[in-house]
Amino acid sequence: MRRKYMGWIILMTVLLLGGCASTSGTEETITAAQTTVAETVSAEETVSEPTTKEATGESSVADMAEETDAEVGYTEEDRKEFLNFLDDCASTAPGTAGTSLRTAAAAAALLDWEEERADSLSEEDIKALMASWKENRTDDAWAYLQESWSQVAACMRDIAEDPEGQAALVEDAGYMLGYASYQTDVMEMVIGAIEEALSE
């Protein structure tokens, strides 16, 4: 009877120890799982940092592009108009019939164009526009502009000095002046930048 009783005690002890070992193993497993989860979250956070920096970098590039655009005193539409007006200037054909009327119309249109943008245009803007015109036109067109420009510039000065007195000539050319007066300092800046580009 005593041996049987001792056997039960030994059996219970073994079971209890096994249970403790199982519980301990479970706790270790849970702890290991928690550690793995924590490491995974930490790794994901580390990976997400470059993404944030990349996004910041893209924003900086966009800001720089906007700042660059802001430094230019004309739009793409302005550029196209300028190129078309220079085409008219190059087509005045000095020494042929109707030259004075073609010159008056071209000069007046260019004068109105620069007056409308007087607060934003710079000498560098005009030089850049001239480079764009030269790049997109033939050598002959460039030569024609060089030949006709002095008359166009003189006509621009005449109109700016006396818009009312020149209005009839401009209207005969099929154009109507957009302003009653012009900023001569802006006009001279534009004329000077064009002449400098043409002399290169």
Side-chain angles (χ1 to χ4, degrees), residues 35-82:
T35 301
T36 302
V37 170
E39 289 174 350
T40 302
V41 172
S42 177
E44 289 175 351
E45 291 175 349
T46 302
V47 170
S48 67
E49 287 183 2
T51 303
T52 303
K53 291 179 181 178
E54 289 172 5
T56 303
E58 291 174 357
S59 178
S60 298
V61 171
D63 292 341
M64 289 173 63
E66 290 176 1
E67 289 174 3
T68 300
D69 291 341
E71 292 174 359
V72 177
Y74 57 89
T75 65
E76 175 60 18
E77 185 62 30
D78 293 336
R79 187 188 71 83
K80 292 178 180 179
E81 289 182 0
F82 181 85

Side-chain angles (χ1 to χ4, degrees), residues 10-154:
I10 292 171
L11 179 60
M12 291 299 293
T13 302
V14 170
L15 289 174
L16 286 172
L17 290 174
C20 290
S22 176
T23 301
S24 176
T26 301
E27 291 175 350
E28 289 175 357
T29 301
I30 292 173
T31 301
Q34 291 174 340
T35 301
T36 302
V37 170
E39 289 174 350
T40 302
V41 172
S42 177
E44 289 175 351
E45 291 175 349
T46 302
V47 170
S48 67
E49 287 183 2
T51 303
T52 303
K53 291 179 181 178
E54 289 172 5
T56 303
E58 291 174 357
S59 178
S60 298
V61 171
D63 292 341
M64 289 173 63
E66 290 176 1
E67 289 174 3
T68 300
D69 291 341
E71 292 174 359
V72 177
Y74 57 89
T75 65
E76 175 60 18
E77 185 62 30
D78 293 336
R79 187 188 71 83
K80 292 178 180 179
E81 289 182 0
F82 181 85
L83 267 57
N84 289 334
F85 291 147
L86 282 192
D87 286 342
D88 294 338
C89 292
S91 300
T92 58
T96 63
T99 295
S100 60
L101 291 178
R102 288 192 296 271
T103 299
L110 185 56
L111 194 59
D112 279 347
W113 181 89
E114 51 98 323
E115 182 67 27
E116 184 176 347
R117 297 155 184 82
D119 294 335
S120 61
L121 285 177
S122 69
E123 184 177 352
E124 293 305 315
D125 290 335
I126 301 302
K127 289 180 180 179
L129 289 168
M130 287 296 294
S132 178
W133 190 82
K134 185 176 184 180
E135 181 181 356
N136 289 280
R137 299 299 185 268
T138 65
D139 291 342
D140 285 344
W142 186 256
Y144 294 150
L145 183 60
Q146 288 176 316
E147 181 182 0
S148 63
W149 177 249
S150 60
Q151 291 187 12
V152 174

